[in-house]
Amino acid sequence: MGIASVGAPSLVIGPRYGLIVRVLLVEDEVPLAEMVRRGLAHEGHSVHVVHDGLAGLAAASTRQHDVVVLDIMLPGLSGYRVLERMRAAQIWTPVLMLTAKDGEYDEADAFDLGADDYLVKPFSFVVLLARLRALLRRSGEARPTVLTVGSLRLDPARHRVHRGDTEITLTPREFGVLEHLMRHAGEVVTKTDILRAVWDAHYEGEVNVVEVYVGYLRRKIDAPFGTSTIETVRGVGYRMIEPR
Ligand code: CA
C-alpha cells in the first residue's frame, strides 16, 4: 500500500521527513537486523523485525507493511520461498531482497520470483534507505489489476466482483466505495476520503451517505457469506480487513 496514498489526509506524519513507512524486516543476523531497525526507527519509521522465514511469511500475510526487507538465507524458509508464497497468495507488498552472495543468478532468481529490488551485503544504511525510498515511489504505480482481500476479488477493468466463485452485483456507487476500500486494504479510510474518491467533487451532502453505502456493501459482500470484511473504526472511518 503505502506510497500510493502519499498526500492523502489519512497519512501519519513522521518526525523526520514526512511519511512513516511500515517496514517488515526478515533477517536472522541479529546485529544486522538491530542496526537496520535502529536506523529506520531513527528516521521515524515503524519497523517489525522477525528472524526466520516462517515468521516472515506470517507477518507479510497480515498485509500491514508498506515494504518488506527480506534476507535470502534464512532458517525455516528461505527468502526465495517466502517471496514465492507471498506472490502466490497475491500479497503485492514491495520486497527488497538482501543477500550475502553477489551472483547475478541470485538476482535473476529474486526478480523472477517477484522481488522489486535487491541489495548485496554488506551495504550501507544510507544506500538501503535510498533504495527503499525509490522502491516505495515506484510501487505506487505497479498494482495488480485485480484487487483481492481474502476470498473477495474486484476487477476494476471488467467492473466485476466475486466472493469465491459467486459473482456479486453492485451498483456503480457501491462498486466505487468497495474499490476505494480494497485499494487501501489494511489502512483506515475516512468517510471524507471515500466521499472525495467516489462522489462528485461538488457533492455537498452529508458524509453519512457513506455509512449507508457501507451498509449496502456489507449486505452484499459479507452477510450472505458469514464474513466481516469492512471494519468500522469508531469516530474515524473504515478499514478493509481479511475475514478470519
Ligand atoms: Ca541470513
Side-chain angles (χ1 to χ4, degrees):
M1 342 259 115
I3 214 73
S5 54
V6 165
S10 61
L11 272 185
V12 186
I13 301 304
R16 296 265 298 196
Y17 57 85
L19 178 67
I20 289 185
V21 176
R22 296 162 301 175
V23 182
L24 170 61
L25 173 62
V26 190
E27 170 59 75
D28 59 316
E29 286 172 51
V30 175
L32 174 62
E34 181 56 13
M35 184 274 280
V36 172
R37 187 197 65 75
R38 284 173 144 183
L40 289 170
H42 184 69
E43 294 290 324
H45 301 307
S46 115
V47 192
H48 178 187
V49 184
V50 293
H51 300 296
D52 70 80
L54 287 167
L57 181 61
S61 302
T62 65
R63 299 166 201 255
Q64 296 293 307
H65 307 95
D66 300 306
V67 64
V68 180
V69 179
L70 181 61
D71 188 28
I72 289 179
M73 304 296 278
L74 287 168
L77 200 62
S78 77
Y80 286 138
R81 297 288 85 80
V82 173
L83 177 60
E84 193 174 50
R85 293 193 195 179
M86 278 175 65
R87 296 316 190 218
Q90 309 229 356
I91 298 165
W92 303 106
T93 314
V95 171
L96 183 147
M97 297 205 78
L98 300 177
T99 184
K101 301 181 290 183
D102 60 349
E104 47 185 57
Y105 292 108
D106 294 329
E107 189 169 353
D109 282 347
F111 284 124
D112 285 348
L113 288 170
D116 300 275
D117 202 358
Y118 185 89
L119 199 54
V120 177
K121 294 177 188 173
F123 53 84
S124 86
F125 179 73
V126 175
V127 170
L128 173 67
L129 204 55
R131 300 283 280 272
L132 286 178
R133 283 183 196 155
L135 185 54
L136 285 165
R137 271 199 303 275
R138 291 201 306 272
S139 71
E141 299 141 25
R143 287 301 173 101
T145 43
V146 176
L147 305 170
T148 308
V149 174
S151 61
L152 189 67
R153 293 194 318 283
L154 180 146
D155 184 338
R158 294 186 181 81
H159 247 255
R160 296 178 80 178
V161 176
H162 288 82
R163 167 75 76 192
D165 294 329
T166 309
E167 179 153 15
I168 300 169
T169 307
L170 299 180
T171 66
R173 200 75 90 184
E174 291 165 352
F175 189 93
V177 173
L178 183 61
E179 180 177 352
H180 189 77
L181 287 167
M182 289 181 77
R183 284 197 185 277
H184 298 272
E187 298 170 29
V188 178
V189 179
T190 69
K191 289 174 200 169
T192 310
D193 292 339
I194 296 172
L195 206 57
R196 283 193 190 134
V198 182
W199 272 259
D200 184 83
H202 304 291
Y203 176 81
E204 284 178 352
E206 294 284 318
V207 292
N208 291 346
V209 70
V210 173
E211 285 172 27
V212 174
Y213 276 86
V214 167
Y216 294 156
L217 277 175
R218 283 175 169 148
R219 265 173 256 159
K220 290 187 175 181
I221 66 160
D222 279 332
F225 304 93
T227 54
S228 179
T229 328
I230 307 175
E231 185 180 60
T232 300
V233 182
R234 281 190 66 186
V236 186
Y238 303 98
R239 176 164 45 210
M240 197 87 194
I241 51 163
E242 293 249 5
R244 290 171 196 286

